[in-house]
Amino acid sequence: MRFETPLIPAVLIRRYKRFLADCRLEDRQEVTAHCANPGSMMGLAEPGMKIWLEPNDDPKKKLKYGWRLVEHEDGHFTGVDTSVPNRALRAALENGDVAELAAYKSVRAEVKYGGNSRIDFLLSQDGLPDCYVEVKSVTLSRQPGLAEFPDSVTARGTKHLGELANMAAQGHRAVMLYLVQRTDCDRFRLAADIDPAYADAFASAHAAGVERLVLGTKISPAGVEAGAPIAAAE
């Protein structure tokens, strides 16, 4: 997935009201960018961080910049836009680039299912059970090389696990896919200390037949692509 508009570098001044970020461009101009991330963004919203913004000239948008990346001092990147994983994964699924799901040729997004929910992707193929894929963006890292989810309590995420477990109980294939939007992590685990209820819900869902798939990403100011599987650290 390539960004629609070339990104420009900036420095973060502050993030506030969850969805707003004041930033300083290279020409010293200060602008407000949309932050498409409802989580805590722990470790990713410190004043002075180098970030990358996507400009837009859409008259329907009040803010003319969107915050897309954090560039760390070691040259690694973290993608902070939670809408990016679904866009990157759709391309990977349609191209058959996710080996564990490559047998499915039909890829539909945002399909209604369960109790007034929408599955991120419903995969289907003659001769195979339908496959329900829920996607979560992973950006938290509190230890070198270790990615964790979630970064804050997520009642919505817990509900999604229950919905997936119901699909598995009905004989469908159900996959909880974590996309690690960091280039500096090669291991993954659930942050049970942050949201014990989510960790418990995952354990129940997994016991009910829900699969876990963790993928890394390739990130640059040009775009974000789904990468190779990442091992669980648990």
Side-chain angles (χ1 to χ4, degrees):
M1 184 223 79
R2 297 185 65 83
F3 293 111
E4 295 180 2
T5 306
L7 303 193
I8 59 174
V11 173
L12 179 66
I13 297 174
R14 64 169 182 148
R15 179 212 185 195
Y16 57 104
K17 296 182 179 178
R18 289 202 299 172
F19 301 110
L20 299 175
D22 290 339
C23 318
R24 183 178 295 110
L25 305 182
E26 286 189 317
D27 64 2
R28 309 299 294 175
Q29 177 186 2
E30 293 187 6
V31 300
T32 300
H34 177 240
C35 176
N37 191 318
S40 72
M41 290 183 65
M42 188 185 306
L44 298 172
E46 302 301 321
M49 281 186 153
K50 182 176 180 179
I51 63 176
W52 289 81
L53 307 179
E54 184 173 19
N56 75 82
D57 56 5
D58 187 342
K60 296 180 181 179
K61 292 184 177 180
K62 295 176 63 176
L63 299 176
K64 299 306 177 184
Y65 297 89
W67 181 7
R68 301 292 180 251
L69 306 177
V70 169
E71 183 173 350
H72 302 282
E73 292 182 356
D74 56 7
H76 283 285
F77 289 96
T78 295
V80 300
D81 185 340
T82 57
S83 72
V84 164
N86 284 34
R87 292 157 62 193
L89 278 167
R90 179 159 195 163
L93 290 170
E94 290 178 342
N95 292 333
D97 294 336
V98 182
E100 294 82 354
L101 304 172
Y104 293 89
K105 305 307 178 186
S106 172
V107 179
R108 290 187 289 157
E110 295 293 319
V111 178
K112 289 185 178 181
Y113 83 119
N116 197 31
S117 294
R118 289 181 180 271
I119 193 69
D120 287 318
F121 296 104
L122 176 57
L123 312 182
S124 57
Q125 179 64 32
D126 289 344
L128 296 175
D130 285 346
C131 183
Y132 290 77
V133 182
E134 183 68 33
V135 181
K136 297 300 180 190
S137 173
V138 181
T139 61
L140 175 62
S141 180
R142 295 181 289 179
Q143 298 178 28
L146 178 64
E148 297 180 277
F149 182 88
D151 66 359
S152 58
V153 174
T154 172
R156 186 167 178 264
T158 298
K159 176 189 174 185
H160 288 158
L161 287 170
E163 299 279 23
L164 286 176
N166 288 337
M167 293 299 103
Q170 294 175 32
H172 302 296
R173 190 177 174 192
V175 178
M176 183 64 251
L177 194 156
Y178 299 96
L179 189 72
V180 178
Q181 279 206 89
R182 299 187 67 113
T183 61
D184 59 356
C185 292
D186 57 8
R187 293 169 295 129
F188 169 85
R189 75 178 177 195
L190 296 179
D193 60 317
I194 292 177
D195 192 346
Y198 182 86
D200 289 345
F202 176 82
S204 296
H206 192 53
V210 176
E211 303 170 44
R212 172 173 57 190
L213 179 57
V214 186
L215 298 179
T217 47
K218 301 173 184 177
I219 303 176
S220 76
V224 178
E225 296 180 10
I230 286 179
E234 298 156 312

